[in-house]
Amino acid sequence: MTRRETLIARSIVYAILTCREDGRPAWRPSLLERVLRLFYIYWLSFRLIRQDLFKALRGVWQIKEDDYRASFDIKQQKHKKRGTKTTLIAMGDMGYSGSTFFRTNDGAYLVKSIPRHFEHSFFKNELMLPYADHMRANRASLLVRITNLLESTHKSIGVILGITPSHHIVMENILYGQDQEPQGSSKPKWESWDLKPTSYFYPERDIAGGALASEATKSKLADEFNDKIRLSEDRATEFKRQLENDTMLLANCNAVDYSLFLVRISAADAPEAEAQPALQSGQTSAEPIPPAQPPFTPPNPPNWRTGVLSSDGKEVYRAAILDFFWAKHTVHAKAMTGLVRGYNLIDNRGPMSITTDSKEYRDRFLNMCMELLEVQE
């Protein structure tokens, strides 16, 4: 990893492992140290926002505190790779927001930076409490499980210049198990897609036929899934019901531009399909995270976090709703809406996914998800 990535990762790990019960840093800096840290480029001191709230959520999700902390402590990891010296592994900058991603060495969690003020302030001040209430009441929710929110305790040159992100979230990694050695002779094939409605106006793709944007820029647009998710009728009905429930929360909070992250695990010699009961609202797996079972034998009752077997028994699907931090009522979103409306006076292309109404985005998102399904009796 680069020096920037190493220092950011270390400051995140240090905060998670050493913060007090109230989330504040264990170490109280002197006046001189407070002045000097203004000149830091990469290292930041973090507090854990609403540590009590996220600790309670981890309890609801049956995540043991010792296991959770062990994922961020390289000394406590039993199955670390030989020569590994870092707890967090950099995954690069992904997407238009410029977010920095890390994953824990055991693959159980992801750490994502939220560098834009209007996004982390929306989650912290408006969405966090409704999100927590919703996740407590809906154990089978498809919203990604966020286990911590970190916020820097001070300003620094790095934060002011936009070099170092001041906020991070920790969330479960539904690609957990991808790096594990297969138990049999055949290695499962892992594929993933970040899906959003593609019928919206995307300037990078739609202006001048995409000629004005580089291929690297266009590669960051939403993926396309040119296949079907094959489910039984009961499981498809439950999937639709849970999507409607989760997106209703997001629409009520005025969130748009979220995506469905879909994972497909397949193998030529996948086991025969077994009868799996439909996951009822409020049910959850008794397994802690990370799950002990390999992908093709998810814990019962099956769920979209650990793996749902396809109707033909040849594939396992995982899914989560991600990136629900863009709110339509923020100043930045209103400015973007004004710009797009101005452009539409010249070339009517309709709204972007970040400028449309939250109810309308929900409708298109649900239609997209339903079109992915192939129901088999």
Side-chain angles (χ1 to χ4, degrees), residues 246-263:
D246 292 333
T247 55
M248 179 61 72
L249 167 73
L250 300 179
N252 289 340
C253 293
N254 220 15
V256 295
D257 202 40
Y258 43 87
S259 63
L260 180 73
F261 191 79
L262 176 67
V263 177

Side-chain angles (χ1 to χ4, degrees), residues 183-200:
Q183 294 182 355
S185 58
S186 177
K187 185 175 182 179
K189 179 182 178 182
W190 291 67
E191 300 170 282
S192 61
W193 296 265
D194 192 13
L195 303 171
K196 295 180 182 180
T198 57
S199 56
Y200 285 107

Side-chain angles (χ1 to χ4, degrees), residues 211-269:
L212 302 180
S214 66
E215 290 300 320
T217 299
K218 288 185 285 187
S219 68
K220 296 180 180 180
L221 294 173
D223 300 326
E224 292 189 22
F225 181 64
N226 299 314
D227 204 344
K228 293 292 183 180
I229 302 174
R230 299 170 180 86
L231 299 175
S232 65
E233 184 174 357
D234 288 342
R235 191 160 299 285
T237 300
E238 178 59 32
F239 181 58
K240 179 181 179 180
R241 184 183 300 117
Q242 193 57 59
L243 280 171
E244 291 174 343
N245 193 16
D246 292 333
T247 55
M248 179 61 72
L249 167 73
L250 300 179
N252 289 340
C253 293
N254 220 15
V256 295
D257 202 40
Y258 43 87
S259 63
L260 180 73
F261 191 79
L262 176 67
V263 177
R264 182 172 66 185
I265 311 163
S266 56
D269 57 348

Side-chain angles (χ1 to χ4, degrees), residues 86-135:
T86 58
T87 303
L88 295 182
I89 300 172
M91 301 174 65
D93 296 336
M94 304 166 67
Y96 286 106
S97 66
S99 294
T100 299
F101 284 80
F102 297 91
R103 69 171 177 85
T104 54
N105 188 264
D106 62 5
Y109 300 95
L110 297 178
V111 179
K112 176 188 176 182
S113 68
I114 311 180
R116 299 189 289 204
H117 179 269
F118 67 93
E119 289 187 315
H120 61 68
S121 63
F122 166 65
F123 179 69
K124 174 185 172 183
N125 299 324
E126 300 183 52
L127 183 58
M128 183 170 61
L129 292 181
Y131 167 84
D133 291 339
H134 179 83
M135 297 302 275

Side-chain angles (χ1 to χ4, degrees), residues 9 13 16-17 65-89 102-111 176 179-180 289-290:
V13 170
I16 292 174
L17 295 181
E65 286 300 305
D66 289 342
D67 293 341
Y68 181 68
R69 291 172 62 86
S71 290
F72 295 89
D73 191 343
I74 195 68
K75 296 179 181 178
Q76 296 187 37
Q77 293 185 12
K78 299 178 181 178
H79 304 292
K80 63 181 179 181
K81 295 180 180 179
R82 183 174 298 178
T84 299
K85 297 181 180 180
T86 58
T87 303
L88 295 182
I89 300 172
F102 297 91
R103 69 171 177 85
T104 54
N105 188 264
D106 62 5
Y109 300 95
L110 297 178
V111 179
Y176 172 77
D179 297 332
Q180 293 181 350
I289 293 298

